[in-house]
């Protein structure tokens, strides 16, 4: 089956970039990305392509090339589904905030809505692709909804989880380690798998396109994120021990990473992992394990989250204790709010939790991030409901100029590893701060020796400095 028209439901961090690359690499396929969020679609269609809603290096150039040619962004969800041979579901699957499984299970209401909508508007056979990260066996529920429409339309369901990381989405999509496609093992299922393989084969070498059954594919995505997050929690656990013993976590990471069985990636100690997925996906894994009565499996993975929460809290408490056990009324400058560099995404960013802790200690926070707006920072803090919206507005200021941001501060906390932080005039920053001037580097980003020479009191995660 040759695919001519694709619809992607969900124009977010995954749907937007993924479809932009498919459109770029497959000019013969019409790709329409739809979303209920009118503002998001308007931003994707913004005349000035630098205003698209997601900041990802290299993305705007690709959108500029394909948009209007074979890439379209629209709010006409029904129309796009109706016209498509293949429908990607790329909507959000957040942690449930209510009812059974609250705080752990994935909330599948958006997925179910999509399935019902596809069922109700389809008049021709379609391949439905799960792009969102889903609990294992979700395809079963989607099949049930789609196969019981009674209108004679045939649907094949595939699982095609996305492994891109934010900040490197374009390179990850153009050159993926692997593309994973799970499908039914019968002839129709395998035909659907082939149709999707053929799309990726336009730019991904065949040997990197892996096909499995549906359940292996769904579970592999949760497993991959759990393993990645586990590495961060493992090195972060060691960072605390390093600080007590005089070992340097960077040296330890290098030493173990040179063992080819361990590998050098994902061993960067930090203030804690953030992002919309690691925590949500591990909680989901824990919930699934518990629902099968596998309590030891559940406890094992839950520890990754417990360690991560500890790391965020530990960073904040160490700021307070170093600043003579009080930060009340003191100005603390934050460098970075995004959950990692090269993205404007702040979901579950460690900065939010460190800020919350310090605001509870009545600190005044001055926040600078090269890509995150004041509105976003305030909305992140308001979302926690730790204090009134007024108190959040009184407790923080946001600056677009880093030197202004640090002026008069008692301390600087580095929360995101933006490269530009390394290039600042640190002498100038030092001169305008309260003395002693502290830097708490939550990312092991800055050159501590250089800063100490200037006069800063410098502390970095896991180095004992
Ligand atoms: P997102 O919140 O950025 O985007 C989801 C979009 O779906 C939103 O714009 C929302 O308005 C839209 N939506 C929800 N229900 C809809 C409906 N019924 N009809 C039309 N639009 C609807 O989410 P995201 O970060 O793109 O993540 C999407 C999925 O991909 C999640 O399951 C996530 O776990 C997974 N994932 C995310 C990443 C990442 O880096 N963000 C990477 C891999 C996988
Ligand atoms: C992660 C995975 O890397 C992707 O493969 C996956 O597709 C995606 O989740 C998803 O499912 O959403 P992402 O969250 O965008 O991607 O970014 P990562 O590079 O994985 O970083 C996650 C967090 O871990 C960040 O806060 C980062 O700063 C932190 N981290 C990462 C560390 O603290 N140390 C490291 O060594 C690596």
């Amino acid at each position: 089956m040759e695919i001519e028209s694709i619809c992607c439901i969900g124009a977010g961090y995954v749907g937007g970039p993924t479809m932009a690359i498919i459109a770029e690499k497959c000019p013969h396929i019409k790709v329409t990305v739809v979303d209920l969020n009118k503002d998001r679609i308007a931003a994707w269609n913004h005349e000035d392509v630098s205003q698209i809603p997601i900041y990802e290096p290299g993305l705007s150039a690709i959108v500029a090339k394909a948009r209007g040619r074979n890439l379209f962004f629209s709010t006409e969800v029904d129309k796009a589904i109706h016209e498509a041979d293949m429908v990607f579901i790329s909507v959000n699957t957040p942690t449930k905030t209510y009812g059974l499984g609250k705080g752990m299970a994935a909330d599948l209401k958006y997925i179910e809505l999509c399935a019902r909508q596809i069922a109700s508007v389809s008049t021709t056979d379609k391949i439905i692709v799960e792009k969102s990260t889903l609990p294992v066996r979700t395809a079963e529920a989607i099949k049930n909804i789609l196969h019981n429409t009674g209108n004679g339309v045939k649907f094949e369901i595939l699982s095609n989880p996305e492994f891109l990381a934010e900040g490197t989405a374009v390179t990850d999509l153009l050159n993926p380690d692997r593309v994973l496609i799970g499908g039914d093992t019968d002839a129709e299922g395998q035909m659907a798998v082939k149709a999707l393989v053929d799309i990726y084969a336009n730019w991904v070498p065949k040997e990197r396109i892996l096909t499995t059954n549906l359940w292996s594919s769904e579970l592999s995505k949760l497993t991959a994120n759990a393993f990645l997050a586990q590495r961060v929690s493992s090195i972060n656990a060691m960072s605390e021990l390093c600080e007590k013993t005089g070992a340097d976590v960077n040296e330890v990471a290098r030493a173990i990473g040179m063992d080819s069985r361990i590998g050098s990636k994902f061993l960067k100690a930090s203030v804690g992992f953030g992002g919309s997925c690691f925590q949500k996906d591990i909680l989901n894994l824990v919930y699934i394990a518990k629902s099968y009565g596998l309590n030891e499996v559940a406890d094992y993975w839950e520890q990754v989250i417990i360690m991560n929460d500890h790391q965020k809290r530990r960073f904040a408490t160490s700021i307070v204790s170093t600043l003579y056990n009080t930060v009340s009324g003191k100005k603390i400058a934050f460098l970075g709010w995004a959950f990692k560099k090269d993205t404007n995404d702040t979901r579950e960013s460690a900065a939010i939790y460190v800020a919350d802790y310090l605001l509870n200690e009545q600190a005044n926070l001055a926040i600078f991030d090269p890509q995150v707006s004041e509105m976003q920072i305030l909305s992140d803090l308001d979302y926690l409901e730790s204090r009134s919206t007024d108190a959040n507005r009184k407790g923080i200021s946001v600056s677009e100029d880093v030197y202004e941001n640090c002026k008069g501060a008692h301390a600087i906390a580095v929360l995101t590893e933006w490269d530009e932080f390394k290039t600042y005039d640190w002498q100038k920053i030092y001169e305008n701060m309260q003395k002693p001037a502290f830097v708490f580097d939550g990312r092991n980003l800055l050159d501590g020796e250089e800063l100490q020479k200037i006069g800063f009191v410098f502390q970095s995660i896991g180095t004992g400095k």
Side-chain angles (χ1 to χ4, degrees), residues 133 162-166 221 225 228 232 235-236 265-270 272-278 281 339-340 417 443:
T133 302
E162 185 48 59
F163 295 100
L164 70 80
E166 288 178 30
K221 174 63 196 177
N225 273 0
L228 289 169
V232 179
I235 198 71
N236 281 346
K265 292 182 181 160
F266 258 73
L267 287 179
K268 193 106 184 84
S270 68
F273 60 75
S276 61
C277 293
F278 278 178
D281 292 347
F339 81 97
K340 61 185 284 198
E417 72 283 23
R443 291 292 184 168

